[in-house]
Structure formats: C-alpha cells, structure tokens
Amino acid sequence: MSSSEGPRRPVGINDVAARAGVSPGTVSNVLNRPERVAESTRRRVERAVQELDYVRNSSGRSLRSGRSDSVGLLVLDVTNPFFAEVARGVEDTAGEEGLAVVLLNSAEQAARQRRSIRLLAEQRAAGAVIMPVDGDTTDLLWLRKQGVPGVLLDRGDVSAETACSVSVDNHAGGMAAGRHLINLGHERITYLSGPAELEQCRTRLEGLRAAVAESGGDPDRAVRVIRTAQLNAESGEKAVEEVLAGGPRRRPQAVFCTNDQLAVGVLKGLGERGLSAPGDLSVVGYDDVNLAALVHPGLTTVAQPKYELGRAAMELLLSELNDQEHHHERLRFAPELVVRGSTAAYRP
Amino acid sequence: MSSSEGPRRPVGINDVAARAGVSPGTVSNVLNRPERVAESTRRRVERAVQELDYVRNSSGRSLRSGRSDSVGLLVLDVTNPFFAEVARGVEDTAGEEGLAVVLLNSAEQAARQRRSIRLLAEQRAAGAVIMPVDGDTTDLLWLRKQGVPGVLLDRGDVSAETACSVSVDNHAGGMAAGRHLINLGHERITYLSGPAELEQCRTRLEGLRAAVAESGGDPDRAVRVIRTAQLNAESGEKAVEEVLAGGPRRRPQAVFCTNDQLAVGVLKGLGERGLSAPGDLSVVGYDDVNLAALVHPGLTTVAQPKYELGRAAMELLLSELNDQEHHHERLRFAPELVVRGSTAAYRP
DNA sequence: CAGACCGATTAAAACGTGTCAATGGCCATG
DNA sequence: CATGGCCATTGACACGTTTTAATCGGTCTG
C-alpha cells in the first residue's frame, strides 16, 4: 500500500477526519459512541481508519479524560507460582473489560513497593490490586488520595473502611493443617515461617496454635517456630538443619510450612540427610501450587483458590470503578486441606 | 497536612508554579533539567512540589513527547516459571533505566498476541520485548512501523535485518541432550514435543537427530516424536500412555522432553504405572526451572540462562532506544547440560 | 557610555483526544 | 407557508506537559 520510505509522522484523528471529509469530533464519535452517527458517514470513517491504519493514542485519551485504561497489579514476587496464578485471574478479568494490566514487582521490599505505587499515581491508573509488603497502609491511602482506588489482596486484617480486600482465611487454614497433624498423633510440631512482617505467616501460626489448644495441648510446648528470610525452596532446604537440631529424640514429628516452596525445600533437605517424609517426619505445605502434586512424596498442603482470588479482586475493583454507589467489601475465601503422601500417622 | 475533605482536583504543574511564584516552564525545567535553573528558585520550586504533594502526569508528558516511558514484555505464559525468571531479568534492567514494564500474556494464542501488540501501539510504548507465538513476524513489523521497536526473545531464526534477537542455541541444546543419552547406551529415544508452531520444539528435535546421526545411527529409526497440545505437566502426564504404547519390548529407552514441565509430568505418569526413572526409562527435560532440582529423582535437563536472557534482551532494546547509531544484533547464548538422577546407563 | 553578550526566566504554541454548546438541514405539524 | 423540533454534524476549547523563541535584567568590553 504505502510505499513511502522513512518514519512518517503518526496518523491522528485529524488525518482520518480529513480523509473521510468530516470533522475530528465525528471521528471521535464513531470510535466511542457509534450509535450517534449516521450509518453512511460511519462507514466512510471506518474505511478511512482502515486505509490509514490509524491507531488511537491513549496518551491523548487519558489526558483528556483524566483517567487511563490500565490497572496496576503489585505482587510480592513474580517468580512465585502462587502469584503467577493470581495474576492470571486478574488479567483475564481485566481483559474482559478492556483494561490492560501493568504488572509490578515489589520483591518484598518496601522501597520498591513505594516506587511502584508512585508510578501508578503518575500513570493515573484506573485502579490497582495490591499485595502489600507489610501492614502499613499509608502507601495505599496515599494512592487513593491521588484518585487511584486499590483493592487489597491477601490481607484480611485491613478494615473495610480503608479499602476492599480479598483474602483466604489464614487462621482456618492453619487450623486445618494443625488438626490434620494432631489427628495423626503428632505432638511436637515445628512451624516453618517466612518473614515475620507478612501477615499470612503470623495468622497461620495462630491457627495452628488454636488447633493444638482445642485438642487440650499447650501451644507453647507443642509448637516451635523457625523463621526463614525468604519464602523459597532454598530457604526451606537450609532450615532443615535447624529443624533437626536437638537430635533424634527432641526432633519434631511434623513440620508445617507457611508455603509450598519452603515445604518442598524441606523435603529435599531431608532427603540429603538420608531421611524422608512421611517416614521420619510429616510435612505440610500451603498454597497447593502445581509443584506440590509433582514432588515425591506428593505434598499434603492447604489449597488456596488462587485464580479465583485474582478474579474476585479484579471484580471488586471493577465494581468500585463502575458502580456509583460503592461500599467497601471484605471478601474471604475458605482454604481447603489437600492430603497427599507427605503426612502419615505417627509411629513411635 | 491538608485536612480538606472530598476529592480535590489533581494538582498540576501550574499549581506548583503559582505557589512558587514562577512560570510553569520553570517548574518543568526544575523537574527535567535542574542545572538550567538558579539554585534559589530551584529550592523554592522543590518546596512547592513537596507542600502540594505534586505527582507528575505521564499522559501529558508522553502526549507532548510522543513517547511513553514504559516498555512491553509479551510472554507466552505467565504461569511458566521459565518466563517468570526472564521477566525478572527484563524488569530489573528496565527499572535501572526508570522504565516501567507492562507485562502482557498471549497464552500462546495468536489472537491475544495481536491484541497485546495493538495495545502497545496505542500506548506508544518506548519499546517491547516479545516472545512470539509463531514464526510470523508481521505483527512485529507492524509494531515497528508504528514507531515501537521490538526485540525478539527465544527466536534465533529471525533475520537480523528485522530486529534484534536474543536466544539460546536450541540446536546445541538438543544435541547435548542427545549425546548424553547416546553415551549412556540408549538407542530408542522418544522426543516429547510441544505444539509444532513453536520454533524451540522443532530445533531441539533437530539437535537430537543430529546427535544420533553423528554417532552413526539413523534418526528416522531411533527417534520417535510425540506432540502435546500444551507445555505443562498435565500434558506430560497424559502423554505417558502414548510413550509406553507398543509394550515393554518396543518401549523407548529414554524420553527427551522439550520442557521441564512436560518432563516432570512424565515422571509422575511413570510413577502412577509403577515405573520410574531412571530404572525403567531415562528422562531429560529442558530449561532447568527451579522445580527440576526438587522432584525425585532430580531431573537431568538442559539449562538456559533465563535471567540473563531477559537482561540481555532489555539491554539490546535500550541500546536501540538510546544509541543514535544502532545495528540489529543477534545474540545467542549457549545452553548447558545439567545431569541429575533421572538419567542412567541403559541396562538391557 | 553605548553596545554586545550572557544567564535566568517567561510566554506561547504544540501534542491528540473528548465533550459540549451551537449550527445546519430536514420533516412534520399547525 | 411559517414554525417548531429533531437529528447529524461541527467548531472550539480543555486536559498537563515540554520546548522554542523571545524577553528581561545585568555585566563586561571597547
């Protein structure tokens, strides 16, 4: 078609208007409210659009409207399959509404989170789904003051006056894991936790302790806590040393990990020392990522509805964007224990 | 500070200028070329910026400049850990340059790829890193015609006249896996491939066949190919049935999978049938994702420098954006065989 | 002392779009 | 035929920023 060489200047709505013999305003109408324009002119404009290969400029659009058509998704770690699955849910839902998703990665660092939030403000993002690094909601509030509403993900402890939130009941999850282990006869349980700042780590522990108390045990005696710096398999593998410290007699009968990655690391670490689950030790994870079903033995774990979590968060955000009457909502899913091969009854 | 209620209208560069008693142009200069403005006024402006909590509007910015400060990253599958690792490399590098990364997901569908590319054009993205669904480069060329340069990832077969590209030598990778298996004495090898459109699948197979030929074998006899619809563990698990078809005597001695996920699925499928690697069958994967080291037995696989791949792609893109003199470059990394427990010598 | 020059600042014009009040043409009604 | 009303279209402006050329006050030079 166009045989002209070199980078020509981009074609705008005015060029289309000229070509179709109408005013720019009409072209805009064809693009945004086609019903307002007569059929014949509409076709003429559409043809001009095709011939010139016009693509609209979203800078101009959002400058005029004060709002862009992309939403932010701020996650703690792109490489964690849990977040990837959540992202898929968010993305699918946003896509159905014609919104683009900007994926930002805080890598669990408050400074990076702050940078990302500032970026969203500069972009005048339509909204954001945020998994915060810590309990501090000032960043979120600031963003909202700038006109960008946010939905919290995986943070059940935030008041509904602040924002919508979607989470899974971590207390119930911890309890489910605890009950399972107790029913199997385990009395000394080690809880392998990630960084203490993460609410998930703390609440799941409380659930575990509640399960112990419920069965008449003393949480302070029965549950020992070990912290790792990060939530990945490597950290879990390293932690095995500490888990086993104290020798075979004082060794725990079960390990409950706050995350599947950690749990898989533990399985590996055990193997390296000639031990294995569930023979020497029962192991429970959390999340039910793909991986959990694939390792040997299959990992008993607390499943979270990951994809639905992302979808629900985005739907809440959409409701806040579209409905004139909006009340913040606190949505909470129920986790589900999935029993596989890594846990078994205690044999003294 | 500000105790005013309700959503106030956003503060712009003009408000800052008024507050500081200067013209908007000066504020812009303070923000973008501070050296041009006198120290005293600069401080005055900076103070006004702080007091008003001004955040700049990137729509206005990029409307004026014709270019936004975000780059696109189009991947085939967000949930695949290989891509997640690549994304991390891209994001880190872009972040150092102050560029935001818009992550888009084609889910291996040409239609979604097209939509995403259109979106990047509308945003007037500064550039893009693209992992194309198929060999068709028209989308890429169209995007470039719209003024958005793109770097191809994982597509070594594209001419350097079209665009920069970064890839890992798939032929060499296939060959490394092939040689390894041949050295172990395996003579009947099944290649478990993903969709035929993906160049990676085809080229790795060629490498495998080359290794067979090199050792004096006949590729057509020694290598059998099975295709799966997707590149995930589930597909691999399902494919086991077909892999084993023909009974114990005609069963392959080794399976080379185009992807670790597939390989892990195969391991699982074998287990379900009472078989295991490497006792009954050797299994080799590709990518060396985290998972590969964590399953039992550890997966022998062809490692790719994932993070570096992302980083290099972004650096190439940056060079194209910043250097006035730019020549397209074809960067190719070397893969590396990682031997773990899933392969062993053939015992008849 | 006149003129040139310099650095700091400003005024104004653009970028591409959406919206809204105003315009024009047309038909139906009185 | 005159009037009113309706619909399709238009013209002009606003959004927030960057940039260029112009302006201003002041200092140096001949």
Side-chain angles (χ1 to χ4, degrees):
Chain A
M1 304 295 159
S2 84
S3 62
S4 71
E5 297 295 326
R8 42 153 207 239
R9 89 172 185 72
V11 0
I13 216 176
N14 293 293
D15 306 300
V16 177
R19 174 101 176 196
V22 296
S23 84
T26 301
V27 176
S28 175
N29 279 333
V30 170
L31 264 39
N32 301 311
R33 302 114 97 189
E35 71 280 3
R36 288 205 190 173
V37 43
E39 167 113 8
S40 67
T41 50
R42 186 175 66 210
R43 272 210 297 262
R44 205 144 31 98
V45 170
E46 279 165 352
R47 208 173 127 217
V49 165
Q50 293 219 330
E51 288 172 345
L52 294 178
D53 201 10
Y54 163 75
V55 333
R56 58 190 196 179
N57 183 325
S58 49
S59 301
R61 263 164 94 59
S62 60
L63 174 57
R64 165 70 213 202
S65 68
R67 184 93 305 147
S68 96
D69 52 357
S70 56
V71 299
L73 171 60
L74 183 54
V75 302
L76 292 171
D77 177 8
V78 247
T79 63
N80 184 325
F82 171 74
F83 298 110
E85 204 65 29
V86 172
R88 214 166 51 83
V90 169
E91 213 181 34
D92 283 359
T93 315
E96 290 165 10
E97 213 71 10
L99 293 172
V101 176
V102 185
L103 183 68
L104 301 163
N105 183 19
S106 69
E108 296 176 24
Q109 294 166 29
R112 284 189 65 163
Q113 166 173 313
R114 176 148 251 150
R115 271 227 315 263
S116 299
I117 289 210
R118 186 160 191 94
L119 192 79
L120 290 176
E122 289 183 1
Q123 313 244 55
R124 303 294 191 267
V129 175
I130 299 178
M131 323 189 56
V133 172
D134 51 28
D136 190 3
T137 55
T138 51
D139 281 354
L140 183 71
L141 289 173
W142 178 83
L143 187 60
R144 183 174 292 273
K145 210 171 67 183
Q146 300 298 328
V148 181
V151 172
L152 277 168
L153 201 57
D154 224 17
R155 267 285 167 172
D157 58 340
V158 170
S159 122
E161 268 129 70
T162 310
C164 286
S165 68
V166 181
S167 62
V168 182
D169 189 336
N170 285 312
H171 193 273
M175 227 166 144
R179 282 174 176 158
H180 173 63
L181 292 174
I182 292 166
N183 287 342
L184 290 174
H186 300 298
E187 289 175 347
R188 287 195 311 278
I189 303 175
T190 290
Y191 176 67
L192 194 55
S193 165
E197 301 90 67
L198 297 177
E199 179 258 344
Q200 299 89 326
C201 298
R202 293 195 309 269
T203 312
R204 288 168 195 171
L205 170 59
E206 281 166 32
L208 170 62
R209 291 169 55 98
V212 170
E214 176 193 60
S215 76
D218 174 4
D220 289 331
R221 286 176 164 272
V223 178
R224 182 179 163 215
V225 178
I226 298 181
R227 299 208 173 283
T228 66
Q230 290 182 295
L231 288 173
N232 54 29
E234 208 188 343
S235 300
E237 194 178 337
K238 269 195 239 156
V240 170
E241 172 114 20
E242 199 175 341
V243 170
L244 298 177
R249 4 191 74 195
R250 301 215 24 88
R251 169 190 303 168
Q253 296 152 0
V255 182
F256 173 33
C257 306
T258 206
N259 169 302
D260 281 347
Q261 326 270 100
L262 283 178
V264 169
V266 168
L267 291 181
K268 179 129 190 273
L270 289 175
E272 284 161 4
R273 288 166 178 79
L275 302 175
S276 73
D280 301 288
L281 214 62
S282 283
V283 175
V284 178
Y286 210 108
D287 285 349
D288 195 26
V289 298
N290 243 323
L291 176 54
L294 298 172
V295 293
H296 184 84
L299 188 64
T300 294
T301 187
V302 180
Q304 307 205 65
K306 300 170 280 296
Y307 182 86
E308 288 74 20
L309 215 54
R311 178 167 277 280
M314 194 62 213
E315 278 167 359
L316 244 43
L317 182 58
L318 287 173
S319 121
E320 184 160 358
L321 295 180
N322 300 330
D323 306 354
Q324 55 280 39
E325 183 88 18
H326 172 84
H327 289 292
H328 290 325
E329 212 170 318
R330 243 168 102 167
L331 206 57
R332 163 166 287 182
F333 286 87
E336 194 177 339
L337 183 74
V338 177
V339 179
R340 296 205 180 89
S342 65
T343 50
Y346 177 59
R347 355 159 262 201
Chain B
M1 300 296 161
S2 84
S3 62
S4 70
E5 298 294 325
R8 41 148 211 241
R9 89 171 185 72
V11 0
I13 217 175
N14 291 292
D15 306 298
V16 176
R19 174 102 177 196
V22 298
S23 84
T26 302
V27 177
S28 174
N29 279 333
V30 170
L31 264 39
N32 301 311
R33 301 113 97 188
E35 71 281 3
R36 289 204 188 174
V37 43
E39 168 114 9
S40 67
T41 51
R42 186 175 66 212
R43 273 209 297 261
R44 206 144 32 99
V45 170
E46 279 164 352
R47 210 173 126 216
V49 165
Q50 293 219 330
E51 288 172 343
L52 295 178
D53 200 11
Y54 164 76
V55 333
R56 57 189 196 181
N57 183 324
S58 48
S59 302
R61 257 165 100 59
S62 59
L63 174 58
R64 166 69 212 202
S65 67
R67 184 92 306 147
S68 95
D69 51 358
S70 56
V71 300
L73 171 59
L74 184 54
V75 303
L76 293 171
D77 177 9
V78 248
T79 63
N80 184 326
F82 171 74
F83 298 111
E85 204 65 29
V86 173
R88 215 166 52 83
V90 169
E91 214 181 34
D92 283 358
T93 316
E96 290 165 11
E97 214 71 11
L99 293 172
V101 176
V102 185
L103 183 67
L104 301 163
N105 182 20
S106 69
E108 295 176 24
Q109 294 165 29
R112 285 189 65 163
Q113 165 172 314
R114 177 148 249 151
R115 271 227 316 263
S116 300
I117 290 211
R118 185 159 192 94
L119 193 79
L120 290 175
E122 289 183 1
Q123 314 243 57
R124 303 295 191 267
V129 175
I130 297 176
M131 323 189 57
V133 172
D134 52 27
D136 190 2
T137 55
T138 51
D139 281 355
L140 183 71
L141 290 173
W142 178 82
L143 188 59
R144 181 174 294 272
K145 210 171 66 183
Q146 300 298 329
V148 181
V151 172
L152 276 168
L153 202 56
D154 223 17
R155 267 282 167 176
D157 58 340
V158 170
S159 122
E161 267 130 70
T162 310
C164 285
S165 69
V166 181
S167 61
V168 181
D169 190 336
N170 285 313
H171 194 273
M175 225 166 146
R179 281 177 178 157
H180 173 63
L181 292 174
I182 291 166
N183 287 341
L184 290 174
H186 300 298
E187 288 175 347
R188 286 195 310 280
I189 302 175
T190 290
Y191 177 68
L192 193 54
S193 164
E197 301 90 67
L198 296 178
E199 178 258 345
Q200 298 89 325
C201 298
R202 295 196 308 269
T203 313
R204 289 169 196 171
L205 169 59
E206 281 167 32
L208 170 62
R209 291 170 53 98
V212 170
E214 175 194 60
S215 76
D218 173 5
D220 290 330
R221 287 175 163 271
V223 178
R224 181 178 165 217
V225 177
I226 298 181
R227 299 206 174 284
T228 66
Q230 290 183 295
L231 288 174
N232 54 29
E234 208 188 345
S235 300
E237 195 178 335
K238 269 195 241 156
V240 170
E241 172 115 19
E242 198 176 341
V243 169
L244 297 178
R249 6 191 73 196
R250 302 216 24 88
R251 169 190 302 169
Q253 297 153 0
V255 182
F256 173 33
C257 306
T258 204
N259 168 304
D260 282 347
Q261 327 270 100
L262 282 178
V264 170
V266 168
L267 290 181
K268 179 129 188 275
L270 289 176
E272 285 161 3
R273 288 167 178 79
L275 302 175
S276 72
D280 301 288
L281 213 60
S282 283
V283 176
V284 178
Y286 209 109
D287 285 349
D288 195 26
V289 298
N290 242 323
L291 177 54
L294 298 172
V295 293
H296 183 84
L299 187 64
T300 295
T301 188
V302 181
Q304 307 204 65
K306 300 169 282 296
Y307 181 87
E308 289 72 21
L309 215 53
R311 178 167 278 280
M314 193 63 211
E315 277 167 359
L316 245 43
L317 182 58
L318 286 173
S319 120
E320 183 159 359
L321 295 179
N322 300 329
D323 306 354
Q324 54 280 40
E325 183 88 18
H326 172 84
H327 290 292
H328 290 325
E329 211 170 319
R330 244 168 100 166
L331 207 55
R332 164 167 286 182
F333 286 87
E336 193 178 339
L337 184 74
V338 177
V339 179
R340 297 204 179 89
S342 67
T343 50
Y346 176 60
R347 352 160 262 202

